[in-house]
Amino acid sequence: MTHNKVLIVYTGGTIGMVQDENGSLHPFALDRIYDAVPQLRACDYGIDSVTLDNIIDSSNMTPSLWVDIASIIEREYDHYDGFVVLHGTDTMAYTASALSFMFAHLNKPVVLTGSQLPLGMLRSDGRENIICALEIASTRLALVPEVCIFFMSHLYRGNRSTKISAENFDAFQTFNYPSLARVGIEFSFKEHLFLPTDRQPLQVNKQFERRVAVLKLFPGIGPEVVNALLETPGLQGVVMETYGSGNAPTDAWFIEALEHAIERGVTVMSVTQCKAGAVKMRQYAASCDLDRIGVVGGGDMTIEAAVTKMMYVLGTHHGEPEVVRHLLETPLRGEMSMG
Ligand code: ASP
């Protein structure tokens, strides 16, 4: 009898900490996962694990580690039904977004999870999060063919997610998309919200452009700061966090600074500082200039999705401004709503 198999990719984060006899926290060896979560002995699918060469606090996450994670999944893709990535919560939404763009034709679940309290602590949320992530990745209940985040009681689309709390167990949210499943006594999957599957082989894109920046607007932002950022040597892309539905100051110095950067070949995309809702270019006079000079509207993307999408699109289509613009405006992996 064949039974389902899940591969855990362990990258670090709070979840992987256990207390030693003196009470200090250390990363645990994944081969001891059954000691840390004894309930896993009862599950009827196989679990294997791989650990990154260096386990990290996710504040040290980098594009090259995204490539390492994706390469493990690519290498093992045909051997497992699904994948669980154990990851620190701080940059989990960035990694989930980056992986979603890297994987084209993903037809298996890649579920990221972590915890607010280490597994080795009595009240850890990690046990429940790992168990539910594994259940989802085993595909015995439903096939979720996307990169997602499981946290507390919800399964979220990865590239719609944002970390919203540094203290609550309920640490993630997708403000612009409903959760893909709610987990209580039962798992209730909302299959109509999943990305569609296809029959094409997995394709993994591993090029990221790192020369991107985030420009967050605030009342009083001045030319020294804006010019210094836009004139960064080698800069290729800027994600600008605008106000409300995509509004920005209309001062001539500001618009001209952006226009010059765009003329030099820098791609500038606008996303909103609001947690929910979308950029709508030209809805207010305060976004008409941005539209005129060629700022790309990022719709309802999160900042995490916008930054990683910018890195991915510029990495794979360097020197093709029209293609870059088109791809940024188009939903590639369900990261933005149409229209
Ligand atoms: N600093 C930790 C990390 O992101 C926090 C966590 O795992 O919750 O790696």
Side-chain angles (χ1 to χ4, degrees), residues 292-335:
R292 176 180 59 75
I293 64 175
V295 172
V296 181
D300 60 357
M301 266 189 282
T302 60
I303 185 69
E304 295 90 339
V307 169
T308 53
K309 186 175 182 183
M310 179 73 89
M311 291 172 125
Y312 159 73
V313 170
L314 288 172
T316 45
H317 294 278
H318 183 79
E320 299 172 88
E322 284 316 309
V323 181
V324 165
R325 185 184 183 91
H326 170 71
L327 292 177
L328 288 175
E329 286 174 339
T330 308
L332 302 178
R333 310 277 191 269
E335 75 282 5

Side-chain angles (χ1 to χ4, degrees), residues 12-15 56-59 87-92 114-117 151 163:
T14 297
I15 190 163
I56 56 161
D57 184 295
S58 77
S59 336
H87 195 290
T89 56
D90 289 348
T91 61
M92 190 184 290
S115 67
Q116 295 283 60
L117 282 178
F151 226 85
K163 181 174 177 181

Side-chain angles (χ1 to χ4, degrees), residues 4 16 18 59 64 134 150 169 192 194 198 203 220-221 231 257 287 301 305 336:
N4 292 21
V18 283
S59 336
S64 70
L134 284 165
F150 180 81
F169 286 145
H192 63 286
F194 298 177
D198 65 29
Q203 197 187 314
I221 192 168
E231 286 163 19
S287 66
M301 266 189 282
M336 64 199 290

Side-chain angles (χ1 to χ4, degrees), residues 15 135 139:
I15 190 163
E135 293 281 300
T139 70

